[in-house]
Amino acid sequence: MKSGPEKLIRDVNTALRRNRKILQDRVKPTERTATVHRNKLLALGFQFNYMTHQYRTKKAQTYIFCYDYGYLPLANNWLLIVRKK
């Protein structure tokens, strides 16, 4: 059984993969975006404190990504989920 840094890395990678899968499952294969309520993602086990990177647009909107899937917070706890090309 590994401990210390190896366990931390494994746990973070597991959380990131789970988050990506949850986002991926919300976007239809024929679409590139979807909207979902924050509570729905929480109910599915999404962990908002894990991300791979952020992207800030020229309009000062910040998208938060888990690999190739990300989300943009909207009004009233809604999120726009996007898939990179």
Side-chain angles (χ1 to χ4, degrees):
M1 183 91 179
K2 294 189 179 202
S3 63
E6 292 86 7
K7 182 180 182 329
L8 175 64
I9 292 168
R10 186 179 64 242
D11 292 347
V12 169
N13 284 336
T14 298
L16 287 170
R17 283 193 308 270
R18 183 182 310 117
N19 280 356
R20 182 192 179 277
K21 178 71 172 144
I22 291 169
L23 294 176
Q24 178 185 28
D25 289 349
R26 306 286 72 87
V27 180
K28 295 179 183 175
T30 57
E31 302 290 328
R32 289 198 46 217
T33 65
T35 53
V36 65
H37 198 272
R38 179 182 175 91
N39 291 343
K40 176 68 174 176
L41 294 185
L42 286 171
L44 293 168
F46 194 88
Q47 297 181 56
F48 283 93
N49 53 330
Y50 290 98
M51 63 172 178
T52 56
H53 64 287
Q54 295 181 356
Y55 174 74
R56 188 168 174 93
T57 68
K58 292 179 183 176
K59 295 182 180 181
Q61 295 177 313
T62 302
Y63 288 80
I64 301 162
F65 279 86
C66 289
Y67 303 109
D68 55 337
Y69 283 87
Y71 61 89
L72 174 69
L74 303 173
N76 300 318
N77 285 325
W78 283 91
L79 305 168
L80 174 67
I81 299 175
V82 297
R83 174 177 49 219
K84 277 188 178 178
K85 290 182 183 178

